[in-house]
Amino acid sequence: MNAAAEIGVIGGSGLYALLENAEEVEVSTPYGPPSDAVTVAQVGDRRVAFLPRHGRDHRFPPHKIPYRANLWALRALGVRQIVAPCAVGGLRPELGPGTFVVPDQLIDRTSGRAQTFYDEGAVHVSFADPYCPAGRAVLLEAAGDVDPVDGGTMVVVEGPRFSTRAESRWFTSIGGAVVNMTGHPEAVLARELALCYSAIALVTDLDAGVEGDQGVTHEEVFRVFGENTERLRGVLLDAVTKLPAVRECPCVTALDGIKLPFALP
């Protein structure tokens, strides 16, 4: 397949295109269509697929994103490593707007989302460390010029509303560094398909319980993301060329010894 790719990028709010001279590919999945057509192009010596998480017109709110279709479509195209940029709120004063964070942990506070491919049969994958260590290392290197924060727990909430002050203070008290609406179930679905998955988070605001007088606004989030889009795009295009050609990480063996109820794409 000419459109086959080995690396995928799932773009978040404000990042609806990434690749130049890209081929657009429609992919069907058992879970319906993905958020949008996938675009595939050559970046250096790597084939890269890009998928806008919310759709190019941002038509999918976080709780309605077809996460299973998105991950399935990328794997069906040959993708085995995923880089996932996202917008987040900072839960600590030092994590202000414009800060880049490469998280190493996740707390799920969503509800009602389809968060597994295995609705039949008992399939339990290890998820103690939700992000690929090799991918995290590459993102930290690629983001060196923007001084990224190495590690931190991303709290994922249901949305689409922002947190109350009490909620954001609670998230901080349980160890959260940033808060987001899309990091789950995306990360665990990737693990269930034995995909490497690494996130890079751009802080667009201080969350309600941190910043004082004014709560988070939709306009503020998109303004800060827009101001940092080119920096983020540069990090992503550098990272995809540096991901290891041979995967030697726990993500590869996530399904070893597990009898799957269906064949993977």
Side-chain angles (χ1 to χ4, degrees):
M1 182 189 298
N2 290 334
E6 55 191 311
I7 295 168
V9 178
I10 303 177
S13 298
L15 185 63
Y16 306 116
L18 177 70
L19 307 171
E20 297 182 354
N21 302 315
E23 175 183 358
E24 191 169 286
V25 185
E26 300 283 348
V27 186
S28 61
T29 84
Y31 306 97
S35 295
D36 214 315
V38 183
T39 52
V40 180
Q42 195 80 17
V43 180
D45 61 353
R46 316 301 290 275
R47 291 283 289 176
V48 178
F50 177 79
L51 176 62
R53 184 181 288 118
H54 296 274
R56 278 175 285 192
D57 55 359
H58 206 95
R59 64 186 176 276
F60 291 107
H63 62 297
K64 294 291 187 179
I65 292 170
Y67 294 100
R68 293 196 293 185
N70 288 350
L71 273 298
W72 190 275
L74 290 173
R75 183 178 168 101
L77 284 174
V79 167
R80 294 298 181 267
Q81 300 182 80
I82 291 175
V83 176
C86 59
V88 298
L91 291 171
R92 302 200 300 256
E94 67 271 21
L95 299 178
T99 304
F100 284 85
V101 180
V102 180
D104 62 350
Q105 278 297 321
L106 179 152
I107 293 175
D108 172 28
R109 293 294 302 164
T110 65
S111 62
R113 302 183 183 189
Q115 56 179 296
T116 182
F117 290 105
Y118 305 115
D119 293 322
E120 297 181 7
V123 176
H124 308 288
V125 301
S126 174
F127 200 54
D129 297 298
Y131 303 107
C132 174
R136 288 192 69 255
V138 167
L139 279 171
L140 288 166
E141 178 186 353
D145 289 344
V146 298
D147 194 23
V149 176
D150 182 357
T153 296
M154 183 157 67
V155 180
V156 186
V157 299
E158 179 66 7
R161 68 170 178 85
F162 293 118
S163 305
T164 66
R165 296 186 194 280
E167 286 169 335
S168 85
R169 290 170 184 143
W170 179 49
F171 298 152
T172 303
S173 74
I174 62 175
V178 294
V179 61
N180 163 266
M181 298 179 188
T182 58
H184 184 87
E186 201 169 86
V188 72
L189 291 173
R191 184 62 54 84
E192 287 191 343
L193 296 180
L195 301 174
C196 297
Y197 180 94
S198 312
I200 181 165
L202 170 61
V203 179
T204 57
D205 56 89
L206 286 174
D207 215 47
V210 181
E211 68 175 357
D213 293 338
Q214 181 181 348
V216 185
T217 67
H218 179 90
E219 291 76 17
E220 179 186 9
V221 168
F222 277 81
R223 177 184 62 79
V224 176
F225 200 98
E227 291 172 353
N228 289 276
T229 298
E230 287 309 310
R231 289 202 301 163
L232 178 59
R233 181 177 283 110
V235 170
L236 296 173
L237 291 174
D238 188 26
V240 297
T241 66
K242 293 178 176 176
L243 286 169
V246 178
R247 297 194 298 155
E248 296 177 334
C249 59
C251 317
V252 183
T253 58
L255 301 178
D256 283 3
I258 294 177
K259 184 177 180 181
L260 301 180
F262 51 78
L264 296 179

